[in-house]
Amino acid sequence: MKVLKFGGTSVGSVKNMCNVKDIINDGEKKIVVLSAMSGTTNQLVAIALDISDNKPNEAIDKINKLHESYFQTIDELLLNKGLNEDVKEYVSGVFNFLVECTYKNFSETLENQIVAQGELLSTYMFNSYLKQENINSALLPALSFMRIDEFKEPDIDYIKSKFSEVYNDTADSKIYITQGFICLDGNDEISNLQRGGSDYTATIIGAAIKADEVQIWTDIDGMHNNDPRHVENTKPISNLSFDEAAELAYFGAKILHPQTVTPVRADGIPVRLKNTMNPDAHGTLISNSTSENGIKAIAAKDNITAIKIKSARMLQAHGFLKKVFEIFETYKTSIDMITTSEVAVSLTIDDDKNLDKILVELEKIATIEVDNNQSIVCLVGHSVVNHQDTYKLFQILQDVKIRMISYGGSNNNISLLINSKDKIKTLGKLNNYLFELVTL
Ligand code: ADP
Ligand code: ASP
Ligand code: MG
């Protein structure tokens, strides 16, 4: 069986929902994972923020506007009177719940409950739409099988056993619709897999059921060789290895949640990226195959903080780096890049929630310098470190200040740390000289 995930744009309008229906209605049994309609999760996050800022009226205003837009979509999507009324009743229940939330004290759990509503809305609406079109479908509630543990890792044994329970209860259906993104945590409270997490839901389910393939359907024809939001003339890549895809997703290619390939790579379950608006395009196939050497794609990750830890006296001492790493471990903050010299070590983090506390500890053992607003630009490709183009990098980027460079951590990745204000220029230059064959 295959698992097909459709993102926010794919379910973001009646026209696109109709495309999704045509794509999935081929007579084969399948699991369909849906995101919230595009824009909804952002609105829900904004509503939660209003509540935490003690601005209930602004939250209610947003809730009413969103409610109204859902009613318009329902009127366009569901011409069947009974289904139209049923879905409106469900949707009103969700919006009444959101209004009730504005009277409550803000907490992380409340925020998680609020942002979970987007996927609950889209799946209920879409399942009703399939009923209207006489397609045999069933809703599998993600909150009855998707769970993460205290380290925010999917609890695969739990997911496998609970998924097969809910699946077996509805085993005579053709299409199983479930919510992406949302899950329970170790205390059985509503939680989520972080923004963009529906991709991750799809591969977690894919691994749990040992799917033949996981397909991620979105608004672009696969993984491009550079960020299409910032660079012109980017091109889709037809094949990627799991390693290459993992590096690109982790280092900022927004098309994939950073953890997307993690659950499926051990079993070699292929992941195919496809365009809902152009289903005939080849897209990208992520699989075990390895490809030719060379720089295949570039991605960038923002909001990086660089920390330089200087200690002429202690750096060479045994155990100094251990002490440094222990401080980051205590505050559950992972390190992305690291470089060392005789007198200093520089490293980067992307989660600065506990930065103040980390700095207090670090200052006890060294002198610290912090640079905010940094971006990691990452060049990815099979054996990229050995490729003939690699020697050109410093020449291409001679007028960009490179703060750190990571080479050889894996053969598939070279990462550069630059100031975020130079990001677009850097991506453009790399694109011209590496992919458009502009000569130096
Ligand atoms: P969905 O809502 O379907 O999950 P996303 O917005 O999360 O879609 O991901 C698709 C978007 O990712 C594209 O529209 C594109 O702007 C952006 N993107 C960023 N980097 C890349 C890349 N290297 N290749 C393709 N798309 C990318
Ligand atoms: N709806 C969630 C988000 O916007 C999850 C997803 O779209 O994958 O982040
Ligand atoms: Mg996404």
Side-chain angles (χ1 to χ4, degrees), residues 28 37 46 49 69 87 157 178 247 273 297 303 357 372 440:
E28 278 182 30
M37 294 179 79
L49 189 65
S69 80
V87 175
D157 290 335
T178 191
E247 301 273 16
L273 313 183
N303 300 320
K357 292 181 204 142
N372 299 309
L440 280 162

Side-chain angles (χ1 to χ4, degrees), residues 90-106:
Y90 178 85
V91 168
S92 294
V94 166
F95 283 97
N96 290 341
F97 166 75
L98 291 175
V99 171
E100 278 166 27
C101 289
T102 66
Y103 310 132
K104 295 184 183 161
N105 288 332
F106 183 80

Side-chain angles (χ1 to χ4, degrees), residues 329-350:
E329 218 224 293
T330 305
Y331 293 102
K332 305 247 174 307
T333 301
S334 46
I335 295 167
D336 282 337
M337 278 175 84
I338 175 155
T339 56
T340 61
S341 81
E342 174 68 11
V343 292
V345 48
S346 275
L347 45 82
T348 70
I349 57 171
D350 68 355

Side-chain angles (χ1 to χ4, degrees), residues 90-375:
Y90 178 85
V91 168
S92 294
V94 166
F95 283 97
N96 290 341
F97 166 75
L98 291 175
V99 171
E100 278 166 27
C101 289
T102 66
Y103 310 132
K104 295 184 183 161
N105 288 332
F106 183 80
S107 65
E108 203 182 313
T109 307
L110 187 75
E111 176 172 26
N112 287 344
Q113 287 171 348
I114 293 172
V115 298
Q117 302 307 315
E119 274 68 15
L120 294 169
L121 287 166
S122 64
T123 48
Y124 196 91
M125 277 168 61
F126 189 74
N127 188 45
S128 303
Y129 172 53
L130 293 186
K131 281 200 189 112
Q132 173 179 279
E133 304 302 306
N134 293 318
I135 297 170
N136 182 2
S137 68
L139 260 186
L140 303 182
L143 296 180
S144 57
F145 63 84
M146 190 58 76
R147 193 167 78 169
I148 51 174
D149 62 21
E150 73 224 82
F151 305 109
K152 300 194 185 298
E153 294 293 330
D155 185 346
I156 282 287
D157 290 335
Y158 175 95
I159 295 166
K160 269 187 192 160
S161 95
K162 292 287 179 182
F163 184 87
S164 70
E165 271 174 36
V166 283
Y167 177 80
N168 288 331
D169 282 349
T170 47
D172 57 346
S173 294
K174 263 272 182 277
I175 291 175
Y176 299 87
I177 312 279
T178 191
Q179 297 86 19
F181 178 59
I182 62 174
C183 60
L184 295 179
D185 66 14
N187 301 318
D188 283 344
E189 299 279 5
I190 294 187
S191 185
N192 62 62
L193 302 173
Q194 310 294 322
R195 294 304 305 268
S198 303
D199 304 328
Y200 196 21
T201 302
T203 51
I204 294 169
I205 296 176
I209 66 163
K210 298 243 183 295
D212 301 322
E213 179 170 296
V214 175
Q215 298 182 353
I216 311 274
W217 289 80
T218 181
D219 56 3
I220 189 164
D221 46 357
M223 177 73 80
H224 279 217
N225 59 359
N226 206 330
D227 193 325
R229 293 167 301 175
H230 302 305
V231 177
E232 283 175 13
N233 295 327
T234 60
K235 301 193 179 58
I237 305 168
S238 52
N239 289 279
L240 283 172
S241 67
F242 284 115
D243 284 348
E244 290 166 336
E247 301 273 16
L248 287 168
Y250 187 75
F251 285 105
K254 187 188 174 244
I255 183 170
L256 288 180
H257 179 279
Q259 300 298 335
T260 306
V261 299
T262 313
V264 287
R265 64 195 294 175
D267 289 320
I269 298 169
V271 179
R272 203 180 281 278
L273 313 183
K274 296 280 289 176
N275 187 349
T276 305
M277 277 54 80
N278 183 13
D280 294 332
H282 175 277
T284 300
L285 178 63
I286 303 167
S287 69
N288 264 329
S289 69
T290 40
S291 32
E292 283 172 25
N293 292 2
I295 299 171
K296 221 172 194 181
I298 302 165
K301 184 168 167 179
D302 296 329
N303 300 320
I304 303 292
T305 304
I307 305 167
K308 184 183 282 177
I309 303 159
K310 255 179 129 169
S311 176
R313 204 163 46 85
M314 292 182 72
L315 195 64
Q316 296 306 318
H318 291 297
F320 180 74
L321 283 178
K322 180 168 177 260
K323 268 193 208 151
V324 169
F325 289 138
E326 272 169 359
I327 293 170
F328 286 87
E329 218 224 293
T330 305
Y331 293 102
K332 305 247 174 307
T333 301
S334 46
I335 295 167
D336 282 337
M337 278 175 84
I338 175 155
T339 56
T340 61
S341 81
E342 174 68 11
V343 292
V345 48
S346 275
L347 45 82
T348 70
I349 57 171
D350 68 355
D351 172 6
D352 63 1
K353 210 171 50 232
N354 292 316
L355 181 61
D356 290 346
K357 292 181 204 142
I358 289 171
L359 293 180
V360 169
E361 296 295 322
L362 288 175
E363 273 157 1
K364 291 181 189 160
I365 55 168
T367 312
I368 310 299
E369 279 171 37
V370 176
D371 289 319
N372 299 309
N373 301 321
Q374 305 288 302
S375 294

